[in-house]
Amino acid sequence: MGWRIPQALKERSKLSSENTAVDLFRINGISSTELKLTKSEVLYYEGDSANRIYIVRRGLCFTFRHHEDGRRQIVDLSFPGDLVGLEALTQDYYVSGFTALTASELVAYPVDEFTSQCYIVPELSRILVEYISREQAILTRRLVEVAHSSASQRIAHFLLELRARALVAGMQALALKQTSPGREDSEQDFCIRIPHAVIADTLGLSIVHVSRTLSKLREQGLIADMEDGMAIVDLPGLQKVADWEGLSPWFDKVEGRETPA
Amino acid sequence: MGWRIPQALKERSKLSSENTAVDLFRINGISSTELKLTKSEVLYYEGDSANRIYIVRRGLCFTFRHHEDGRRQIVDLSFPGDLVGLEALTQDYYVSGFTALTASELVAYPVDEFTSQCYIVPELSRILVEYISREQAILTRRLVEVAHSSASQRIAHFLLELRARALVAGMQALALKQTSPGREDSEQDFCIRIPHAVIADTLGLSIVHVSRTLSKLREQGLIADMEDGMAIVDLPGLQKVADWEGLSPWFDKVEGRETPA
DNA sequence: CGTAGCCTTGACCGACGTCAATGATGGTGG
DNA sequence: CCACCATCATTGACGTCGGTCAAGGCTACG
């Protein structure tokens, strides 16, 4: 029952598109509306009629659903550049709600204008498929994580994902600031400020346990409290705990035994 | 903190396409190859180079990934009519593996032929987006489920999902047969035969606990052992335990309180 | 008859949830 | 400037759901 090393796995997608979604929508004459959300403001709820698609320009938001017991599951965070509300393409009502974690700016596109174009313009189809696939990869990953990992692993992974996505989105830090200018990725790294409740609801843990687990990571010297949030102090160490493989969900180890059905 | 009743929620997708995927692919001249899988045969592993897309014609299969500790997570089951391996559209290597639960027949399409067409032919784009969205809905749902539900709820829900998807796919039962001809949905209903290990790996539970939980459901008179698998005896009862809302993930109750960030 | 899967059951234990009390912080209005 | 309150974080005590280990049974199959 050994580990089989697959071919080298590439980070980049086959379908890299040069234009951003925003550009594409503009080029194709889809009308846009700017809008702002204040912290904690809800853009739409589960069950609201779905008639718009959005792109986040600034700020940090998230998509959520509610369990019947009233508890909240955060399905995914949205960073600047992310597409939001794609459910509107295939459904009449949103299945998830969407709200702002920090004050945010979005652009809204009417979905009917969108659908009339999106299947005709190859570029748009492509960006859609690509984007939904990416979302799906993140979701799948999170599913595996929530189903099989310990609290420390989940949290470590979550912090790394936050960092990676924020960097991709061009944020130097998360609703916050960089610790000391000039540092890159050595001991003291990235600074994160986010309520424990958000971590808990994303990873399916209780707030209390998130607090305890963060304390443990702190004791282990992996993260530290800064004046404006927590910082990743030992990036390699945290990556080891989280079994980090990069933002893309590629595996660098694959089990090669016969798979019992 | 009351429940807000949203607008009536519809089951149907906005983008209902009359042609099946198989028809569409044929019409657009994409070359196809038939292939068979024996029980437990693996079609591809995580890390294999991704150059084909498949459609399941007969049998029951599933997509899996491995956790670094060697444990298996089943990401989704595939029923006849389901598209498989769409990761090939956006990535060079499969991120998940795919294998047959029962002897199965598939059709394979080369992905390069596919990509040259799929963004140009609106019908194809549409079916893609629609399909991936559907997959994503199931995934999201499962995430919420795994994160927040008890073992009985997860299992009850899983059984109902199996039943619903099998019926959609036109299977009268699951690798099996209908119990007594003439019954519809009264006391004795649908018959399911599936290894406990599959349930466990799908829902993130141990085999032992799956066994225990099924026993409990049996004691409660919700399911029963038949000579060729288990049958759902009390459908409404099971739906109540699972908090079943139908195959589509629409909520019929939405919490309307302000959402704390 | 022996072996290999798969299911079941019991004993035990640990990770995580719940409840509750206490602090730290920061914004707001008087 | 301070009192007040809301939000968020922390910590302890305690309970439980579900994992692990191990043994035993059932069926299928060579």
Side-chain angles (χ1 to χ4, degrees):
Chain A
M1 205 201 277
W3 291 96
R4 180 165 67 93
I5 309 297
Q7 303 87 325
L9 296 175
K10 301 175 41 182
E11 282 278 352
R12 293 298 305 149
S13 151
K14 275 184 191 173
L15 310 172
S16 55
S17 35
E18 306 78 21
N19 284 315
T20 67
V22 179
D23 296 336
L24 273 176
F25 297 172
R26 188 170 30 71
I27 291 169
N28 288 283
I30 298 174
S31 64
S32 63
T33 322
E34 308 256 333
L35 68 97
K36 288 181 199 291
L37 293 180
T38 63
K39 180 174 144 97
S40 301
E41 188 176 351
V42 174
L43 182 57
Y44 54 82
Y45 278 105
E46 300 135 290
D48 282 358
S49 111
N51 41 35
R52 288 163 149 213
I53 283 171
Y54 304 87
I55 294 183
V56 179
R57 302 309 301 272
R58 264 175 30 97
L60 190 57
C61 308
F62 63 87
T63 301
F64 61 89
R65 294 177 67 174
H66 280 283
H67 198 65
E68 86 279 357
D69 61 7
R71 286 172 56 189
R72 185 181 64 173
Q73 170 71 34
I74 294 181
V75 175
D76 199 14
L77 299 182
S78 296
F79 291 78
D82 283 350
L83 280 164
V84 168
L86 289 182
E87 328 166 32
L89 283 178
T90 51
Q91 294 153 194
D92 291 325
Y93 299 93
Y94 291 113
V95 168
S96 312
F98 185 85
T99 181
L101 187 49
T102 67
S104 304
E105 296 171 21
L106 318 198
V107 195
Y109 303 92
V111 75
D112 41 351
E113 269 186 57
F114 200 89
T115 39
S116 67
Q117 299 276 322
C118 70
Y119 299 119
I120 307 176
V121 183
E123 220 93 42
L124 283 179
S125 310
R126 168 179 294 207
I127 218 170
L128 271 189
V129 170
E130 200 173 287
Y131 195 84
I132 306 183
S133 300
R134 190 179 84 102
E135 267 190 344
Q136 186 171 334
I138 293 179
L139 262 182
T140 306
R141 155 77 73 109
R142 178 120 49 227
L143 176 64
V144 177
E145 185 173 286
V146 168
H148 292 299
S149 303
S150 70
S152 335
Q153 287 182 303
R154 295 188 219 179
I155 290 184
H157 190 271
F158 180 72
L159 295 179
L160 291 170
E161 185 185 326
L162 276 188
R163 189 185 100 98
R165 293 181 67 182
L167 291 178
V168 167
M171 306 163 90
Q172 317 88 311
L174 217 53
L176 3 101
K177 71 184 193 205
Q178 204 136 13
T179 46
S180 51
R183 301 272 207 153
E184 285 312 291
D185 61 345
S186 51
E187 310 134 43
Q188 190 157 305
D189 188 65
F190 192 76
C191 200
I192 295 170
R193 183 181 196 73
I194 198 173
H196 290 187
V198 170
I199 304 180
D201 287 348
T202 305
L203 301 178
L205 297 167
S206 69
I207 296 181
V208 173
H209 202 65
V210 167
S211 171
R212 267 193 262 270
T213 308
L214 284 174
S215 302
K216 217 168 56 187
L217 294 178
R218 228 176 279 127
E219 282 168 22
Q220 299 176 285
L222 300 173
I223 61 177
D225 269 348
M226 309 307 299
E227 72 279 4
D228 59 346
M230 48 190 164
I232 297 179
V233 173
D234 178 0
L235 186 55
L238 204 62
Q239 289 173 337
K240 193 164 166 209
V241 169
D243 212 40
W244 179 252
E245 306 141 341
L247 230 199
S248 315
W250 310 168
F251 275 40
D252 49 17
K253 292 179 301 191
V254 177
E255 207 185 30
R257 58 165 174 171
E258 77 297 344
T259 310
Chain B
M1 203 200 279
W3 292 96
R4 180 164 66 94
I5 308 296
Q7 305 87 326
L9 296 175
K10 300 176 38 182
E11 283 278 351
R12 293 298 306 149
S13 150
K14 274 183 190 174
L15 310 172
S16 54
S17 36
E18 306 78 19
N19 285 316
T20 66
V22 179
D23 295 336
L24 272 176
F25 296 173
R26 188 169 32 71
I27 291 168
N28 288 282
I30 299 173
S31 64
S32 63
T33 321
E34 309 255 333
L35 67 97
K36 288 181 200 292
L37 293 180
T38 63
K39 180 173 144 100
S40 300
E41 188 176 350
V42 174
L43 182 58
Y44 54 81
Y45 279 105
E46 299 135 291
D48 283 357
S49 113
N51 40 35
R52 289 163 148 214
I53 283 171
Y54 304 86
I55 295 183
V56 180
R57 301 309 300 273
R58 264 175 30 98
L60 190 56
C61 308
F62 64 87
T63 300
F64 62 89
R65 293 177 69 173
H66 279 284
H67 198 64
E68 86 279 0
D69 61 7
R71 286 171 57 189
R72 185 181 64 174
Q73 170 71 34
I74 294 180
V75 174
D76 199 14
L77 299 182
S78 296
F79 291 78
D82 283 349
L83 280 163
V84 168
L86 288 182
E87 327 166 32
L89 282 178
T90 50
Q91 293 154 193
D92 290 324
Y93 299 93
Y94 291 114
V95 168
S96 312
F98 185 83
T99 183
L101 187 48
T102 67
S104 304
E105 296 171 22
L106 319 198
V107 194
Y109 304 92
V111 75
D112 41 351
E113 269 186 56
F114 199 89
T115 38
S116 68
Q117 298 278 322
C118 71
Y119 298 121
I120 307 175
V121 183
E123 220 93 41
L124 283 179
S125 309
R126 170 181 293 207
I127 217 170
L128 271 188
V129 170
E130 200 174 287
Y131 195 83
I132 306 182
S133 299
R134 190 180 83 103
E135 267 190 344
Q136 186 171 334
I138 293 178
L139 261 182
T140 306
R141 156 75 73 106
R142 179 123 45 228
L143 176 65
V144 176
E145 184 174 286
V146 168
H148 290 300
S149 303
S150 70
S152 338
Q153 286 181 303
R154 294 188 218 179
I155 290 184
H157 188 109
F158 180 72
L159 295 178
L160 292 170
E161 185 185 326
L162 276 188
R163 189 185 98 99
R165 292 182 66 182
L167 291 178
V168 167
M171 306 162 91
Q172 318 88 311
L174 218 52
L176 4 102
K177 70 184 195 204
Q178 203 135 15
T179 46
S180 50
R183 301 272 207 151
E184 286 311 294
D185 61 345
S186 51
E187 308 134 43
Q188 191 157 306
D189 188 63
F190 193 75
C191 199
I192 295 170
R193 182 180 195 74
I194 198 172
H196 290 185
V198 170
I199 305 180
D201 288 347
T202 305
L203 301 179
L205 298 167
S206 69
I207 296 182
V208 173
H209 202 66
V210 167
S211 171
R212 267 193 261 271
T213 308
L214 283 174
S215 302
K216 217 166 58 184
L217 294 178
R218 228 176 279 127
E219 281 168 23
Q220 298 176 275
L222 300 173
I223 61 177
D225 269 347
M226 308 309 299
E227 73 279 5
D228 59 346
M230 49 190 163
I232 297 179
V233 173
D234 178 0
L235 186 56
L238 204 62
Q239 288 173 337
K240 194 165 167 205
V241 169
D243 214 39
W244 178 253
E245 305 141 341
L247 231 198
S248 316
W250 312 167
F251 274 40
D252 49 17
K253 292 180 300 191
V254 176
E255 205 184 30
R257 56 165 176 171
E258 77 296 346
T259 310

